[in-house]
Amino acid sequence: MSTCIAWVPMDSSARAVGADEVAAALAEVEGVTVRRNGTRGMLWREPLVEIETERGRVGYANVTAAGIPDLVEAGMLAGADHETCIGVVDDDPWLTGQDRVSLARIGLAEPTDITAYESQGGWAGLRRALDLDPADVVEEVVTSGLRGRGGAGFPTGIKWRTVLEAESDLKFVACNLDEGDSGTFADRILAEADPFTLIEGMTIAAVTVGATEGYIYCRSEYPDAIARLRDAIAVAGEHGYLGDDVAGSGKAFRLQVRVGAGAYICGEETSMLESLEGRRGEVRAKPPIPALHGLWASPTIVNNLLSFAAVPMILADGGEAYAARGVGRSRGTQIFQLAGNIAHGGVYEAPLGITLRELVDDVGGGTRTGRAVRAVQVGGPLGAYLPADRLDVPMGYEELAEAGGMLGHGGVVVFDTEVDMARMARFAMEFCSVESCGKCTPCRIGSTRGVETIDKLVGATDPGERTQLRVLLDDLCETMTTGSLCAMGGLTPVPVRSALTHFPEDFERSTS
């Protein structure tokens, strides 16, 4: 009997819905060899089993361990049609409609198969970077228009140039993989499914600016990502892409994973640096900036995982190829994470400029409940709530800012008509009060007073009292915006004010 290759994702999203049990059940079927890949990003279809056939890898969605016998009997091992079959996965419209740059390799192979990574174009960017003068590498990144994908949107090339030109015998590269925003999971997916892309991007940064040590700061809630990254780092070292002689260049770069202790504030770069140095995660005052005075007072590149993950393609194909995508000053692609009350949740990479409505209605398939969309929050728990009549906004940094929102990390969380926006506004303030590092008064105390004021507002019945509370809440938001040390307190008023502006009726009834 010929051997059948069955691919079952080992991504934690797939494992959470039974992928390990599916893999074990398939392994017991005679003639089946099970291989574990990363997710393809279509999370609503997990566990998605792929069978190698002459036509390509044929997918079967939402497979259960109990359903394996029936699927085998129905001809799954030969790629036969079935109600769970989605056809050749590479031909699926949800995938073909994307412009996958950073996600180009997820789900295609075993995550730490370095041979497969190289055969799919891996390390080409690093090799070109080593052939170029460091200043020319930086110019490629500047030309690409890549901006911080972690949320701040600062030009990546400018940051790298600052570190390159800094005079120091010791420099570092640090990756922020804390990813604490609600509705965001692209960092985790890429780290679990294709860790070498991150490693290559960080290595390019290091050999360019002269850094010899790097750290991946990963949240403790991501045990699979931590394990996968450590395995990949070991494999990369064995093959000469990390260590004392990176790809035969004579340049050294050593990389390790550090695990955070679960503080949202460590998603802020200076707080993360404090944590990496072994101290409590608290925000540092700026200046000095980390590019000049970062880890252990040395020049440090601090970028989000998605920023580093874009770099290999930028160096392999050239900065102009990346800059050709996008809109306005927002160049390249963004990995959008579709979550909340949405039919087709997952990760979708597209050029910046795609509209929010396209993402929610066309890509996401509308709400999972079938009810109308009432609000969409973009950019994590500190992002604005946009009403249904504002979804035609292009997804770009300036375009969203003009509409009162922000791109953030690319998270898109959908709510239907049943949502109570007063409760969501309260959640924003409560989230800040719980996650504040406590270093500045507007954030630490202001968020607590904000929760109390919203509670009073939704419970007030007298119009005069309601007006006074609205004025008080607005004044409090202004104080937090202008007086907070970092974006934690400075942006918390954004979702609160957007809820008050677009959904005032929800504050006129009790939330109990």
Side-chain angles (χ1 to χ4, degrees), residues 358-405:
E358 288 175 298
L359 285 172
V360 173
D361 292 342
D362 300 339
V363 177
T367 66
R368 189 183 181 96
T369 58
R371 289 188 285 263
V373 173
R374 188 175 186 221
V376 179
Q377 187 176 37
V378 180
L382 308 182
Y385 292 104
L386 298 176
D389 62 1
R390 294 204 177 186
L391 301 190
D392 292 311
V393 58
M395 297 292 277
Y397 293 98
E398 284 71 35
E399 291 76 11
L400 272 167
E402 188 176 340

Side-chain angles (χ1 to χ4, degrees), residues 107 169 193 251 289 307 344 378 420 428 457 493 495:
D169 294 331
K251 297 183 177 181
I289 59 174
S307 302
H344 300 159
V378 180
D420 184 335
L457 176 60

Side-chain angles (χ1 to χ4, degrees), residues 307-454:
S307 302
F308 283 122
V311 169
M313 177 274 185
I314 290 171
L315 265 297
D317 296 346
E320 291 184 0
Y322 192 77
R325 302 165 165 90
V327 60
R329 291 177 53 211
S330 303
R331 311 314 307 170
T333 64
Q334 171 69 45
I335 301 175
F336 297 102
Q337 298 118 92
L338 307 181
N341 190 340
I342 194 162
H344 300 159
V347 288
Y348 192 91
E349 188 171 7
L352 287 161
I354 186 174
T355 69
L356 185 54
R357 189 175 305 280
E358 288 175 298
L359 285 172
V360 173
D361 292 342
D362 300 339
V363 177
T367 66
R368 189 183 181 96
T369 58
R371 289 188 285 263
V373 173
R374 188 175 186 221
V376 179
Q377 187 176 37
V378 180
L382 308 182
Y385 292 104
L386 298 176
D389 62 1
R390 294 204 177 186
L391 301 190
D392 292 311
V393 58
M395 297 292 277
Y397 293 98
E398 284 71 35
E399 291 76 11
L400 272 167
E402 188 176 340
M406 67 177 189
L407 182 64
H409 189 45
V412 176
V413 181
V414 180
F415 301 87
D416 71 12
T417 51
E418 296 297 301
V419 67
D420 184 335
M421 296 308 298
R423 294 186 66 178
M424 299 311 300
R426 185 188 191 279
F427 168 77
M429 281 291 188
E430 184 181 30
F431 183 84
C432 182
S433 69
V434 171
E435 296 292 349
S436 172
C437 77
K439 193 166 185 177
C440 69
T441 301
C443 178
R444 182 184 70 250
I445 302 300
S447 55
T448 300
R449 297 290 88 86
V451 172
E452 296 169 354
T453 305
I454 291 173

